[in-house]
C-alpha cells in the first residue's frame, strides 16, 4: 500500500496559526486551554468502543485468549496493545511506534490494570488480553483519543468466569455465570500540549496545529495526582516550570475524563440490563449527535402559513407539519421525515404493475401530462390521476405508504 | 570502507613493490601489523575479548547455556556463532546491510569448529546435558575484508580463553546435575586446539598477509585457511574474484603453518599475561 | 522488595543504594573521543557498567530525497546481542525504534541543521553493555561524537536519569533499580546553559508533588555529567594540539 505524502503546510497558514496562538485564539474558535467535544459509544461486545474527540475518531476492541504466562511473571496475565494507523495513510512507521510506546508506557508501566486477577492457574494458564486500537480518522491529538478509547474499553470489558476443577479449566458462558469486569486500579489519561514559540502552548491540538508546531509534550496522569508518563519531543526547548504547569492542567483534565468515562460505561451497562434497549453501534449510526454519525442534520422550523402565497411557495398540510419533522442535511438538501420501516403490503400491486412497467416509467417522466387514457391497468390510472391532480394544485398529500411515485410528487420540478 | 578505487599507476607501483617484497607501508610480505588484545571487558558474558588493529576492531562475547546434545553426537557440546557488523563501521551496514559478509563469516566459523576437540570439554552428562556456547562477534570497524577473518578468529580464541564456566556436579543417585554457585569454582576451557584463520592475498607475484585497503583493491584473490596449533590445515575457502595457479599454493602451505603457529603463540602469551579473575 | 534496593543504614542518616552509592551520586563516567579513525566523529562512553559507542558520519550526500532547508538527521540505536544478561535477538524491536526516534528528535533540535542543506548526518549508537540508563548514556555519547566530528551544535547536550524509591529521589538508575517493580524512571536530556529540556521520557507513576524533586535530581545529575564531558573535550583538543 503506498503511503500518501504528508501535505506540506503553506507558510501563510503556519504564520496565521502562530499569530493567532499568541492572542490565545484558534481556528475553530477555542481558547488555548479548551478541549473539543468528546463522545464515547460502545458496541455489542463487551470491550468494544469508539471515541471521537472533535473529528478524531478511534475505535478500540479488546479480545481475550488463554495463554501461558511469561516465565518471569508467572502469576500475572498478559496485556498486548496494538495500534493500527493504516487508515490515516500519511503517518510513517516511526509515528506509529511513538504512539504505541506512549500508550504502552502509560497503561502497562503505570500498572493501572490488576494483571494478577487475570491468572487462572499460576505458571500455566492466564488470560491474555489483545487490544487493537484502530485510528479511523486523525484530526490531531491521537495519544489522548487512543488512551481514552483504551481505558473506556478496559472498563467496559467483561471476561467470562472460570472455575478450575482439578487440572481442568472450565470457562462459563455469559448465560451460565455473570461475566466479570476487569479490575482497574486507576485511570491514566494522556493529555497533549503543543508548543509554539517556546512559551505559548495549546491543549488538544488539531491536525493542522500539530503539523506546524515547534514541539509537543504529552503527559499521562490520573486523579490521584500521579504522573504516569511524560514525553517531550520536537524542536521546542521547554523549561521545568512549563512542564510542571502542564502537569497540573493534565491532572484537571484527567479528573474530568475519569468521571466521564465511568459515567458513560455505567449508562451503557444499565442499558444492557433493561429489556428492549438498543445497544451496539447500529443505533448510534442513526443518531445525528452520536459518535458514529458522519453527517450532521438540523431540524427546520416551519413558519406559519401566510395568507398570500406565491406559486413558488411550497404549502404543507397542517397534519403533515405536526406529525413529520423536516431536516436540512446540507445547504441544498432537505428531507421530510426520515424514512419509515418497510411496508411490504403493496407486493400484489407491485406484481401487477410489473407487466405495465413501461407505462409506469412514462408516468414518472411526463409529469406535465394530465390526460392519458391509454393505460390498460386500473392502478396505473390511479397513479396518473394523482399526478394530474398534484400538478394542478401543487398540493402534497401524504398517505400511509410512501411509494416511489409520491416521493416524485413531493419534489416537483419547480421546487427551488 | 567503501570499495577503494585506485588508479592504474598506483596499482602498478604497489604491485611492483610487492614483487620486490616491499610494501607501501614498509613491511615485508609476511609481516603483520600490531594487534591489541583486551580481555574480560563485558560483565554480562562469561568470556569476552576486544581486538584492535590499525583500522579494524572486533568484540567477541561468549554466553553459555545448558542444552541436550544432538542425537548423532551425544558426547559433544555445541558452539553457536552469530556475527554482526555495526553501523559504526560504515553507513552501508545500517540495519541489515552487512548480512552478506556476516553470513559468510558465520558459515566458515561453523565449518571450522564442527570437529574441534573443544567440544569434548563441553560435555556435562553424556547424552543428556551439554554446554552450548553462543559466541557473538560484533565488528565495530573494518579495514580490508581479507584481514577481517583473521582478527575475528583471534577475538574468538581470546574470548574462549577468557571463558570461565561454572563447575557442574553430577549426582548419579538422583540423576540430577547441580551447578556450583561458588563464584570462584570455575572451569577453564582448553583452547589449545581452537583453530585460527589465516588469509593470504595474492598481489602480483607474491602472497601477502594482513593487506591494507589499497593492497586489497589491487589484489587478485585471497585464500582463507583455518589452521590449528599443530600447523594442520583444517578448512579453506577462496575469497575474491580472480583465479589462482595451484603450484604456488602448494609452496605456500608450510609458510602458512608457520604464520599460524606464530599467531597461536601470540594469543597464548597475551592471554596468559592477563591475570585471571 | 524495596528494602533490597535502598538499605537504610542505622548509623548514618543517608541511606545507601544497592551498589553502595548515595542517592544523588552519579556512577563513574569515563568518555573518550575519536576512537574510530574511519568515522567523521566517534566517542566511547562508560557510565558505570553501561558502555556505549557512538559514531557520526556526515554531513554527506543524502541517499534519497534531500531537504533544501536543512540537513536530515538519521539516528539509529542498537543494543548488541550480548549487552544484557540474557542473549537478545537482533531484531528491530519497538524499544530500539522508539529510542532511535527520540534521539533523532533531540539532535534535530540541537544541531544547527540550517547550515547544511541538501545533506544528511548519520549518527549510529551501539550499546555494547547495558546496565541501566541506556538512553541517557546514548545522548551523552552521541553529543560527544558530534563534537568530535566538528558539526556545529547549540550546546553540549547532556542527559541523566532519575528515579524515586522509598520516598527518596535518586540520580542515575542502574539495571537492577530499573527492573525492580514499579520504580518510576525519568530521563532528561537538556541544553545546560539555558536549562532547556530537549527530551524527557518517564514511565511508572510519579506523584506530582515529587515530580519537582525528581526532575531536580535529574538536572543535578546532568550538571555532573556535563562537567566530566567538558573535561574530556578539553583534554582531547589539547592532545590534538600537541
Amino acid at each position: 500500500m503506498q503511503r500518501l505524502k504528508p501535505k506540506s503546510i503553506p507558510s501563510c497558514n503556519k504564520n496565521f496559526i502562530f499569530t493567532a496562538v499568541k492572542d490565545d485564539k484558534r481556528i475553530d474558535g477555542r481558547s488555548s486551554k479548551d478541549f473539543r467535544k468528546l463522545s464515547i459509544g460502545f458496541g455489542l461486545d463487551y470491550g468494544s468502543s469508539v471515541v471521537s474527540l472533535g473529528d478524531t475518531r478511534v475505535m478500540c476492541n479488546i479480545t481475550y485468549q488463554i495463554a501461558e504466562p511469561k516465565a518471569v511473571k508467572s502469576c500475572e496475565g498478559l496485556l498486548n496493545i496494538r495500534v493500527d494507523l493504516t487508515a490515516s495513510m500519511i503517518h510513517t512507521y516511526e509515528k506509529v511506534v511513538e504512539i504505541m510506546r506512549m500508550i504502552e508506557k502509560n497503561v502497562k508501566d503505570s500498572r493501572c490494570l490488576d494483571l494478577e486477577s487475570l491468572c487462572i492457574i499460576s505458571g500455566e494458564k492466564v488470560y491474555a488480553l489483545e487490544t487493537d486500537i484502530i485510528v479511523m480518522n486523525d484530526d490531531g491529538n491521537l495519544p489522548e483519543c487512543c488512551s481514552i478509547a483504551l481505558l473506556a474499553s478496559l472498563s467496559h470489558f467483561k471476561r467470562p468466569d472460570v472455575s478450575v476443577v482439578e487440572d481442568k479449566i472450565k470457562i462459563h458462558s455469559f448465560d451460565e455465570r455473570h461475566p466479570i469486569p476487569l479490575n482497574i486500579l486507576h485511570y491514566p489519561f494522556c493529555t497533549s500540549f503543543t508548543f509554539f514559540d517556546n512559551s505559548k502552548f495549546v491543549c488538544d491540538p488539531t491536525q493542522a496545529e500539530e503539523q506546524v508546531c515547534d514541539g509537543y509534550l504529552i503527559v499521562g496522569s490520573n486523579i490521584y495526582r500521579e504522573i504516569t508518563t511524560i514525553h517531550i519531543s520536537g524542536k521546542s526547548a521547554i523549561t521545568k516550570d512549563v512542564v510542571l504547569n502542564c502537569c497540573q492542567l493534565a491532572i484537571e483534565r484527567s479528573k474530568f475524563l475519569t468521571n466521564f468515562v465511568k459515567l458513560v460505561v455505567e449508562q451503557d451497562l444499565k442499558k444492557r440490563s433493561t429489556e428492549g434497549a438498543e445497544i451496539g453501534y447500529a443505533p448510534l449510526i442513526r443518531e445525528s449527535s452520536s459518535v458514529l454519525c458522519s453527517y450532521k442534520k438540523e431540524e427546520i422550523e416551519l413558519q406559519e402559513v401566510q395568507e398570500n402565497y406565491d406559486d413558488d411557495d411550497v404549502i404543507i398540510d397542517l397534519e403533515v407539519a405536526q406529525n413529520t419533522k423536516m431536516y436540512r442535511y446540507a445547504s441544498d438538501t432537505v428531507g421530510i421525515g426520515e424514512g419509515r420501516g418497510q411496508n411490504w403490503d403493496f407486493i400484489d400491486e407491485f406484481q401487477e404493475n410489473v407487466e405495465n412497467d413501461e407505462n409506469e416509467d412514462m408516468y414518472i417522466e411526463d409529469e406535465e401530462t394530465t390526460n392519458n387514457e391509454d393505460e390498460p391497468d386500473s392502478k396505473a390510472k390511479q397513479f396518473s390521476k394523482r399526478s394530474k391532480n398534484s400538478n394542478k394544485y401543487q398540493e402534497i398529500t401524504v398517505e400511509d405508504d410512501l411509494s416511489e411515485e409520491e416521493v416524485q410528487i413531493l419534489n416537483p420540478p419547480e421546487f427551488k | 570502507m567503501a570499495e577503494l578505487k585506485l588508479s592504474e599507476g598506483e596499482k602498478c607501483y604497489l604491485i611492483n613493490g610487492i614483487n620486490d617484497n616491499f610494501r607501501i607501508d614498509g613491511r615485508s610480505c609476511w609481516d603483520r601489523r600490531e594487534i591489541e588484545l583486551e580481555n574480560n571487558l563485558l560483565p554480562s558474558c562469561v568470556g569476552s575479548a576486544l581486538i584492535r588493529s590499525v583500522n579494524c576492531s572486533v568484540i567477541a562475547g561468549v554466553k553459555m547455556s545448558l542444552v541436550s546434545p544432538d542425537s548423532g553426537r551425544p558426547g559433544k557440546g555445541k558452539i553457536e556463532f552469530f556475527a554482526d557488523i555495526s553501523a559504526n563501521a560504515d553507513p552501508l551496514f545500517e540495519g541489515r546491510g552487512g548480512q552478506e559478509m556476516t553470513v559468510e563469516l558465520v558459515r566458515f566459523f561453523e565449518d571450522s569448529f564442527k570437529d574441534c576437540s573443544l567440544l569434548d570439554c563441553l560435555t556435562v552428562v553424556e547424552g543428556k546435558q551439554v554446554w552450548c556456547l553462543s559466541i557473538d562477534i560484533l565488528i565495530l570497524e573494518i579495514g580490508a575484508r581479507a584481514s577481517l577473518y583473521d582478527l575475528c578468529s583471534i577475538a574468538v580464541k581470546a574470548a574462549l580463553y577468557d571463558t570461565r564456566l561454572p563447575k557442574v556436579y553430577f549426582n548419579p543417585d538422583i540423576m540430577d546435575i547441580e551447578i556450583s554457585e561458588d563464584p570462584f569454582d570455575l572451569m577453564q576451557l582448553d583452547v589449545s586446539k581452537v583453530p585460527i584463520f589465516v588469509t593470504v592475498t595474492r598481489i602480483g607475484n607474491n602472497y601477502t598477509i594482513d593487506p591494507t585497503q589499497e593492497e586489497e583493491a589491487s589484489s587478485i584473490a585471497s585464500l582463507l585457511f583455518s589452521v590449528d596449533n599443530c600447523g594442520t590445515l583444517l578448512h579453506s575457502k577462496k575469497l575474491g574474484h580472480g583465479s589462482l595457479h595451484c603450484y604456488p599454493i602448494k609452496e605456500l602451505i608450510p609458510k602458512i603453518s608457520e604464520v599460524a603457529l606464530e599467531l597461536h603463540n601470540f594469543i597464548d602469551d597475551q592471554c596468559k599475561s592477563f591475570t585471571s579473575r | 522488595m524495596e528494602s533490597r534496593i535502598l538499605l537504610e543504614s542505622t548509623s548514618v542518616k543517608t541511606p545507601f543504594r544497592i551498589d553502595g552509592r548515595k542517592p544523588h551520586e552519579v556512577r563513574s563516567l569515563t568518555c573518550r573521543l575519536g576512537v574510530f579513525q574511519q568515522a567523521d566523529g566517534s566517542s566511547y562512553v562508560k557510565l558505570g557498567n553501561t558502555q556505549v559507542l557512538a559514531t557520526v558520519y556526515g554531513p554527506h550526500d543524502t541517499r534519497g530525497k534531500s531537504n533544501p532547508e536543512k540537513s536530515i538527521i538519521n539516528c539509529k540505536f542498537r543494543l548488541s546481542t550480548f549487552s544484557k544478561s540474557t542473549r537478545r535477538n537482533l531484531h528491530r524491536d519497538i524499544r530500539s525504534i522508539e529510542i532511535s526516534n527520540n534521539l533523532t528528535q533531540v539532535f534535530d533540535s540541537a544541531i544547527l541543521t540550517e547550515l547544511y542543506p541538501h545533506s544528511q548526518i548519520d549518527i549510529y549508537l551501539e550499546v555494547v553493555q547495558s546496565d541501566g540508563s541506556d538512553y541517557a548514556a546514548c545522548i551523552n555519547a552521541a553529543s560527544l561524537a558530534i563534537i568530535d566530528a566538528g558539526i556545529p551544535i547549540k550546546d553540549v547536550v547532556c542527559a541523566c536519569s532519575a528515579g524515586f524509591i522509598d520516598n527518596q529521589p535518586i540520580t542515575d538508575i542502574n539495571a537492577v533499580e530499573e527492573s525492580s517493580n514499579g520504580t518510576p524512571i525519568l530521563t532528561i536530556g537538556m541544553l545546560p546553559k539555558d536549562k532547556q529540556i530537549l527530551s524527557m521520557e518517564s514511565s511508572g507513576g510519579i506523584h506530582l508533588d515529587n515530580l519537582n524533586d525528581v526532575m531536580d535530581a535529574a538536572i543535578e545529575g546532568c550538571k555532573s555529567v556535563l562537567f566530566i564531558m567538558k573535561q574530556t573535550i578539553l583534554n582531547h583538543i589539547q592532545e590534538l594540539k600537541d
Side-chain angles (χ1 to χ4, degrees):
Chain A
M1 244 190 169
Q2 250 192 335
R3 218 158 265 282
L4 297 173
K5 273 196 217 163
K7 272 194 295 190
S8 39
I9 305 278
S11 42
C12 53
N13 288 26
K14 185 172 168 175
N15 291 336
F16 182 83
I17 295 178
F18 268 74
T19 35
V21 166
K22 273 200 199 133
D23 297 328
D24 206 27
K25 291 199 187 104
R26 291 158 82 169
I27 297 179
D28 46 7
R30 291 183 280 156
S31 85
S32 67
K33 296 194 178 54
D34 279 342
F35 292 86
R36 290 174 285 182
K37 178 168 173 292
L38 172 68
S39 49
I40 307 180
F42 293 99
L44 276 178
D45 296 321
Y46 288 114
S48 174
S49 71
V50 171
V51 171
S52 79
L53 188 66
D55 275 335
T56 305
R57 200 170 295 166
V58 170
M59 170 188 248
C60 178
N61 290 317
I62 302 186
T63 49
Y64 71 90
Q65 273 181 355
I66 311 281
E68 261 185 43
K70 282 195 206 155
V72 195
K73 299 187 179 165
S74 55
C75 52
E76 276 186 12
L78 302 167
L79 175 64
N80 197 9
I81 301 177
R82 240 189 5 240
V83 176
D84 182 356
L85 264 166
T86 49
S88 88
M89 290 177 74
I90 55 169
H91 286 302
T92 56
Y93 186 58
E94 273 82 47
K95 178 85 179 170
V96 175
V97 168
E98 206 183 310
I99 295 181
M100 194 143 65
R101 276 297 298 160
M102 174 101 286
I103 297 182
E104 247 186 55
K105 271 199 284 194
N106 198 26
V107 170
K108 279 170 105 167
D109 291 349
S110 67
R111 318 187 75 73
C112 76
L113 194 60
D114 180 17
L115 291 172
E116 287 188 12
S117 62
L118 295 175
C119 178
I120 305 172
I121 301 178
S122 175
E124 284 173 34
K125 301 274 182 222
V126 295
Y127 273 110
L129 295 176
E130 303 280 331
T131 320
D132 288 301
I133 301 177
I134 303 160
V135 173
M136 290 153 73
N137 189 37
D138 177 18
D139 192 31
N141 206 3
L142 275 180
E144 191 167 337
C145 208
C146 290
S147 69
I148 298 173
L150 179 59
L151 287 164
S153 286
L154 283 172
S155 33
H156 189 250
F157 180 71
K158 289 195 176 169
R159 61 173 176 87
D161 196 3
V162 288
S163 46
V164 182
V165 179
E166 286 161 8
D167 273 331
K168 297 211 185 80
I169 304 173
K170 182 164 180 218
I171 302 179
H172 299 277
S173 72
F174 282 21
D175 304 318
E176 251 183 86
R177 283 204 206 170
H178 283 303
I180 306 173
L182 295 174
N183 189 9
I184 303 183
L185 304 168
H186 60 94
Y187 291 78
F189 289 102
C190 285
T191 315
S192 293
F193 301 92
T194 42
F195 287 84
F196 302 90
D197 289 341
N198 287 356
S199 47
K200 297 279 175 199
F201 63 86
V202 299
C203 306
D204 194 10
T206 57
Q207 172 79 311
E209 286 164 355
E210 263 185 5
Q211 279 186 294
V212 302
C213 71
D214 272 339
Y216 50 91
L217 159 68
I218 302 176
V219 180
S221 57
N222 63 22
I223 51 170
Y224 301 112
R225 293 168 62 82
E226 272 184 354
I227 306 292
T228 49
T229 178
I230 301 182
H231 174 74
I232 296 184
S233 191
K235 282 187 106 75
S236 102
I238 303 165
T239 55
K240 188 180 76 160
D241 303 318
V242 173
V243 172
L244 291 171
N245 191 16
C246 288
C247 289
Q248 289 278 13
L249 289 168
I251 289 174
E252 292 299 319
R253 171 75 174 159
S254 97
K255 274 188 199 159
F256 162 74
L257 285 173
T258 312
N259 292 333
F260 187 85
V261 166
K262 280 190 183 161
L263 183 70
V264 177
V265 172
E266 234 182 83
Q267 279 176 349
D268 185 79
L269 293 175
K270 225 190 264 181
K271 256 202 282 181
R272 276 162 209 263
S273 52
T274 55
E275 288 288 323
E278 289 179 331
I279 50 171
Y281 292 129
L284 291 178
I285 297 174
R286 278 185 250 127
E287 274 174 54
S288 69
S289 59
S290 84
V291 65
L292 279 175
C293 186
S294 56
Y295 58 81
K296 297 177 184 47
K297 60 188 183 195
E298 37 179 279
E299 235 182 271
I300 300 178
E301 290 195 354
L302 304 170
Q303 288 174 327
E304 271 188 22
V305 170
Q306 294 163 337
E307 282 289 316
N308 309 322
Y309 53 87
D310 305 329
D311 279 332
D312 295 340
D313 286 340
V314 177
I315 303 157
I316 306 171
D317 254 0
L318 189 61
E319 226 181 286
V320 176
Q322 280 171 345
N323 295 335
T324 324
K325 295 199 174 135
M326 298 220 339
Y327 295 98
R328 166 182 280 126
Y329 292 91
S331 59
D332 56 356
T333 313
V334 171
I336 299 176
E338 269 187 287
R340 306 214 195 156
Q342 279 290 345
N343 193 335
W344 298 101
D345 286 0
F346 55 86
I347 195 145
D348 296 328
E349 300 167 5
F350 189 75
Q351 274 178 345
E352 287 172 42
N353 287 344
V354 162
E355 297 149 24
N356 302 310
D357 249 354
E358 304 159 335
N359 294 332
E360 265 189 33
D361 283 348
M362 267 176 16
Y363 279 108
I364 290 167
E365 282 165 16
D366 307 326
E367 279 171 337
E368 298 297 322
T369 57
T370 52
N371 280 321
N372 200 330
E373 270 143 14
D374 291 335
E375 68 285 0
D377 193 47
S378 55
K379 281 288 179 184
K381 255 196 199 165
Q382 249 186 4
F383 292 155
S384 75
K385 277 190 191 149
R386 255 190 250 139
S387 64
K388 185 171 64 175
N389 286 337
S390 63
N391 270 343
K392 238 161 92 174
Y393 302 122
Q394 284 192 9
E395 249 183 340
I396 303 159
T397 50
V398 173
E399 298 195 356
D400 269 327
D401 45 352
L402 287 163
S403 48
E404 218 180 287
E405 283 74 17
E406 287 183 346
V407 171
Q408 282 292 330
I409 295 163
L410 288 172
N411 293 319
E414 288 87 325
F415 180 76
K416 282 185 194 113
Chain B
M1 204 259 113
E3 285 297 314
L4 211 56
K5 292 197 170 72
L6 286 184
S7 68
E8 284 304 313
E10 284 173 304
K11 278 191 197 171
C12 190
Y13 178 78
L14 207 145
I15 292 170
N16 281 328
I18 287 184
N19 289 340
D20 294 328
N21 199 19
F22 195 78
R23 289 159 83 165
I24 45 175
D25 48 4
R27 291 183 282 157
S28 80
C29 285
W30 292 92
D31 278 344
R32 187 177 285 277
R33 285 175 290 188
E34 250 188 56
I35 303 174
E36 273 172 34
L37 210 152
E38 207 185 304
N39 258 353
N40 195 16
L41 41 108
L42 301 173
S44 69
C45 299
V46 288
S48 56
L50 165 67
I51 307 291
R52 302 199 65 167
S53 179
V54 173
N55 54 358
C56 186
S57 23
V58 177
I59 295 183
V62 182
K63 283 194 189 286
M64 62 178 187
S65 55
L66 272 175
V67 294
S68 46
D70 286 336
S71 45
R73 295 142 70 93
K76 289 192 184 265
K78 290 191 193 172
I79 301 187
E80 282 173 0
F81 288 92
F82 178 76
D84 188 41
I85 307 185
S86 150
N88 287 2
D90 197 86
L92 283 173
F93 301 124
E94 188 184 317
R96 302 204 153 182
Q99 276 226 318
E100 276 176 42
M101 271 173 39
T102 53
V103 162
E104 233 180 72
L105 184 68
V106 163
R107 224 178 292 150
F108 195 73
F109 265 105
E110 281 173 356
D111 284 339
S112 310
F113 278 73
K114 223 180 355 199
D115 295 312
C116 179
S117 63
L118 176 67
L119 296 173
D120 299 326
C121 310
L122 297 176
T123 329
V124 173
V125 179
E126 186 157 330
K128 299 270 192 246
Q129 293 277 305
V130 293
W131 285 114
C132 174
L133 296 178
S134 310
I135 305 184
D136 294 310
I137 304 167
L138 177 63
I139 301 162
L140 296 168
E141 236 187 321
I142 302 185
R145 286 183 202 205
S147 49
L148 179 66
Y149 283 82
D150 298 7
L151 289 171
C152 287
S153 69
I154 299 175
V156 166
K157 178 153 184 174
L160 285 170
Y161 199 101
D162 185 49
T163 307
R164 302 283 182 272
L165 297 175
K167 285 216 181 112
V168 185
Y169 300 103
F170 175 55
N171 193 337
D173 304 324
I174 53 173
M175 292 300 279
D176 197 16
I177 51 170
E178 193 192 306
I179 305 176
S180 164
E181 295 274 335
D182 184 359
F184 294 103
D185 189 14
L186 300 166
M187 174 178 87
Q188 202 174 345
L189 294 173
D190 174 25
V191 292
S192 53
K193 292 285 179 187
V194 168
I196 285 277
F197 301 162
V198 176
T199 315
V200 283
T201 316
R202 174 118 181 143
I203 309 174
N205 292 335
N206 281 345
Y207 277 95
T208 60
I209 57 166
D210 195 14
T212 62
Q213 276 178 277
E214 291 88 6
E215 289 168 350
E216 200 190 14
S218 351
S219 70
I220 298 166
S222 307
L223 285 170
L224 172 62
F225 294 99
S226 90
V227 190
D228 73 354
N229 66 343
C230 303
T232 331
L233 264 64
L234 301 170
H235 267 85
S236 64
K237 187 180 158 82
K238 179 177 163 294
L239 305 168
H241 299 292
S243 53
L244 302 166
H245 288 289
C246 47
Y247 189 65
I249 299 176
K250 286 189 200 155
E251 287 184 351
L252 203 56
I253 292 176
K255 189 76 188 164
I256 291 173
S257 309
E258 210 184 292
V259 167
L261 280 171
E262 256 180 59
L263 266 180
H264 278 285
N265 291 333
F266 166 73
I267 297 173
D268 288 336
D269 293 334
Q270 286 276 314
C271 291
K272 280 200 186 102
S273 68
F274 294 128
T275 46
S276 55
R277 5 173 198 163
Chain C
M1 249 292 198
E2 308 304 307
S3 55
R4 282 198 300 122
I5 311 295
L6 219 40
L7 301 167
E8 192 77 41
S9 173
T10 47
S11 55
V12 186
K13 278 203 182 141
T14 43
F16 290 104
R17 289 151 75 173
I18 199 166
D19 50 5
R21 281 184 287 155
K22 296 214 181 110
H24 287 288
E25 257 183 71
V26 175
R27 288 176 288 182
S28 77
L29 174 66
T30 40
C31 331
R32 273 209 314 264
L33 288 170
V35 281
F36 292 136
Q37 284 77 27
Q38 264 166 239
D40 291 325
S42 58
S43 71
Y44 167 74
V45 163
K46 189 164 185 298
L47 181 64
N49 274 335
T50 303
Q51 299 175 26
V52 179
L53 281 162
T55 44
V56 171
Y57 286 91
H60 58 79
D61 281 332
T62 49
R63 265 166 279 163
K65 256 178 55 174
S66 65
N67 191 334
E69 291 167 31
K70 55 187 194 144
S71 172
I72 300 175
I73 310 282
N74 172 32
C75 193
K76 290 280 182 290
F77 164 89
R78 224 174 53 165
L79 275 173
S80 50
T81 43
F82 40 69
S83 53
K84 293 207 172 150
S85 46
T86 50
R87 191 166 169 273
R88 290 179 63 255
N89 252 333
L90 208 56
H91 289 304
R92 254 166 68 95
D93 59 321
I94 297 280
R95 180 110 180 94
S96 301
I97 301 176
E98 188 205 354
I99 297 184
S100 301
N101 288 346
N102 290 338
L103 286 164
T104 315
Q105 293 278 15
V106 167
F107 289 104
D108 200 31
S109 356
I111 296 177
L112 299 171
T113 49
E114 299 83 27
L115 296 176
Y116 299 106
H118 290 292
S119 72
Q120 182 176 333
I121 300 176
D122 292 318
I123 308 172
Y124 299 115
L125 286 142
E126 186 88 29
V127 175
V128 176
Q129 186 70 15
S130 159
D131 191 29
S133 296
D134 296 343
Y135 183 50
C138 284
I139 293 184
N140 294 329
S143 180
L144 286 173
I146 289 170
I147 291 172
D148 186 42
I151 296 174
I153 192 170
K154 287 181 189 158
D155 197 348
V156 181
V157 186
C158 51
C160 191
S161 59
F164 195 75
I165 297 180
D166 271 358
N167 297 324
Q168 175 82 257
I170 51 177
T171 314
D172 196 17
I173 314 281
N174 64 23
V176 181
E177 290 162 349
E178 224 174 62
S179 56
S180 77
N181 275 346
T183 314
I185 301 169
L186 178 77
T187 309
I188 292 186
M190 58 188 281
L191 293 174
K193 219 179 278 179
D194 306 322
K195 290 213 183 10
Q196 288 187 327
I197 300 173
L198 284 176
S199 163
M200 175 143 84
E201 299 295 320
S202 99
S203 60
I206 306 176
H207 199 272
L208 186 63
D209 303 333
N210 301 323
L211 184 63
N212 194 19
D213 297 329
V214 177
M215 283 175 77
D216 279 336
I219 293 175
E220 285 300 317
C222 285
K223 282 195 192 146
S224 332
V225 165
L226 178 71
F227 180 70
I228 297 179
M229 279 165 74
K230 280 201 166 152
Q231 287 266 317
T232 316
I233 296 169
L234 290 170
N235 288 342
H236 183 72
I237 295 174
Q238 200 61 36
E239 276 172 31
L240 287 176
K241 272 197 206 161
D242 301 333

